[in-house]
Amino acid sequence: MRAQSSTTATNGIAVSGPPATESTAAGTLLAALGVVSFSLTFPATAWGLESFGPWALVAVRSVLAALIAGGCLLVLRVRVPERRHWAGLAVVAAGVVIGFPLLTTLALQTSTTAHAAVVVGLLPLTTALFSALRMGTRPSRTFWTAALAGAAAVIAFTVQQSGGALTTADLYLFGALLVCAAGYTEGGRLARVMPGWQVIGWALVLCLPLTLPGAAVALSFEPVHLTAHGVAGLLWVAAGSQFLGLVVWYRGMAAIGIPKASQLQLAQPLLTLVWSVLLLGEHLPVAAPVTAAAVLVCIAVTQRSRG
């Protein structure tokens, strides 16, 4: 990999501009850009389902993202990570590359993007919990109070919209929360010793032995009806959500810490609600403005608290 002015060596891996030295403001901006990218994932997935079956969409998006990431790794001649990092990369791959996309795509077959976005709004709290268990982080009491308040607002919104009954789609979404939080936590940890784009890049490449034949099989069984929306949705979830969004997200997490970065995702369901109206023509729930106000207050508190 080409040397840059800020290059150092960490655990035998060349790191250009280590994420850990990123300023707080820059780290927050990067994490926020990741959130904006992720907020478009559900609408783009809904578009993709117009052309592809759920299994084909997930497999093909992963293959395309892996080709982009693999090309970058190859051109920049990035060294293969040390063996001790591969277990963590496998967790990232299982949670972020395969688990979350598959479970949420299955959920979106019967759920609206607005409903799915609100349920996945619990991801920040889930990620903070995984971080505390995995990395021993100890956020302040104020942080946890604000995080729980934000989660409560999301849960109340979800219950109000679903009439108090959980559906199969909700179960898929709750499963997606667990695997994604594990992947985010492990990815944030690895982003402290290698650039974030390499974390997701190697995770995507690691999945190729599964996603490449999986795509071939899925495409042979699930009908494909190409539309402009379907192709645009596939390209976004592959390049935007699966690779570029995670690149800035992991770097941002490494700079400001996993718990604080995860709380920025409280804004993700609100952004997705906006996209669902603008791009899909879905009806915006009446309770959305109230939830938005509560969530934004929680974000402000968690960003000011000290962990």
Side-chain angles (χ1 to χ4, degrees), residues 11-12 38 49 61 80 83 102 120 136 140 189 195 210 219 237 247 268 279:
N11 296 326
F38 300 152
L49 286 172
R61 71 179 272 185
V80 175
R83 182 178 298 179
L102 178 60
V120 175
S140 67
R189 183 186 68 81
L210 291 175
L219 288 171
V237 294
V247 168
Q268 184 175 323
L279 300 178

Side-chain angles (χ1 to χ4, degrees), residues 3-285:
Q4 298 180 14
S5 60
S6 60
T7 299
T8 59
T10 305
N11 296 326
I13 299 177
V15 180
S16 299
T21 63
E22 198 89 52
S23 70
T24 300
T28 301
L29 176 60
L30 289 171
L33 288 174
V35 170
V36 173
S37 173
F38 300 152
S39 72
L40 282 161
T41 300
F42 286 173
T45 299
W47 273 5
L49 286 172
E50 294 180 12
S51 296
F52 303 91
W55 294 88
L57 179 60
V58 172
V60 173
R61 71 179 272 185
S62 297
V63 170
L64 292 178
L67 293 177
I68 297 172
C72 293
L73 292 168
L74 185 62
V75 169
L76 295 175
R77 298 180 181 179
V78 177
R79 295 179 183 179
V80 175
E82 295 180 12
R83 182 178 298 179
R84 60 196 178 93
H85 294 312
W86 282 102
L89 289 170
V91 174
V92 176
V96 178
V97 178
I98 296 178
F100 185 80
L102 178 60
L103 291 172
T104 53
T105 300
L106 291 173
L108 285 172
Q109 290 186 103
T110 56
S111 172
T112 64
T113 60
H115 180 82
V118 174
V119 175
V120 175
L122 292 175
L123 184 57
L125 180 58
T126 311
T127 303
L129 290 172
F130 268 81
S131 174
L133 293 173
R134 176 68 176 88
M135 303 176 66
T137 56
R138 294 292 181 270
S140 67
R141 186 171 300 178
T142 301
F143 178 97
W144 284 115
T145 300
L148 289 171
V154 170
I155 292 173
F157 184 91
T158 305
V159 171
Q160 189 268 335
Q161 290 298 304
S162 64
L166 294 179
T167 64
T168 301
D170 290 323
L171 297 179
Y172 282 137
L173 292 170
F174 286 131
L177 286 175
L178 296 178
V179 298
C180 190
Y184 277 174
T185 299
E186 202 63 23
R189 183 186 68 81
L190 288 172
R192 294 179 176 180
V193 297
M194 67 177 77
W197 75 271
Q198 292 183 24
V199 174
I200 186 58
W202 286 116
L204 286 163
V205 171
L206 182 64
C207 288
L208 268 177
L210 291 175
T211 56
L212 193 55
V217 172
L219 288 171
S220 66
F221 281 94
E222 294 180 339
V224 175
H225 304 288
L226 294 181
T227 65
H229 278 175
V231 173
L234 171 63
L235 292 177
W236 178 258
V237 294
S241 303
Q242 194 81 73
F243 183 61
L244 297 177
L246 286 167
V247 168
V248 294
W249 171 245
Y250 279 138
R251 187 171 182 120
M253 276 203 298
I256 65 176
I258 295 174
K260 283 192 174 183
S262 69
Q263 298 315 301
L264 290 174
Q265 280 198 304
L266 285 170
Q268 184 175 323
L270 308 174
L271 290 172
T272 301
L273 288 175
V274 175
W275 299 131
S276 69
V277 173
L278 296 179
L279 300 178
L280 303 176
E282 292 185 0
H283 174 68
L284 185 65

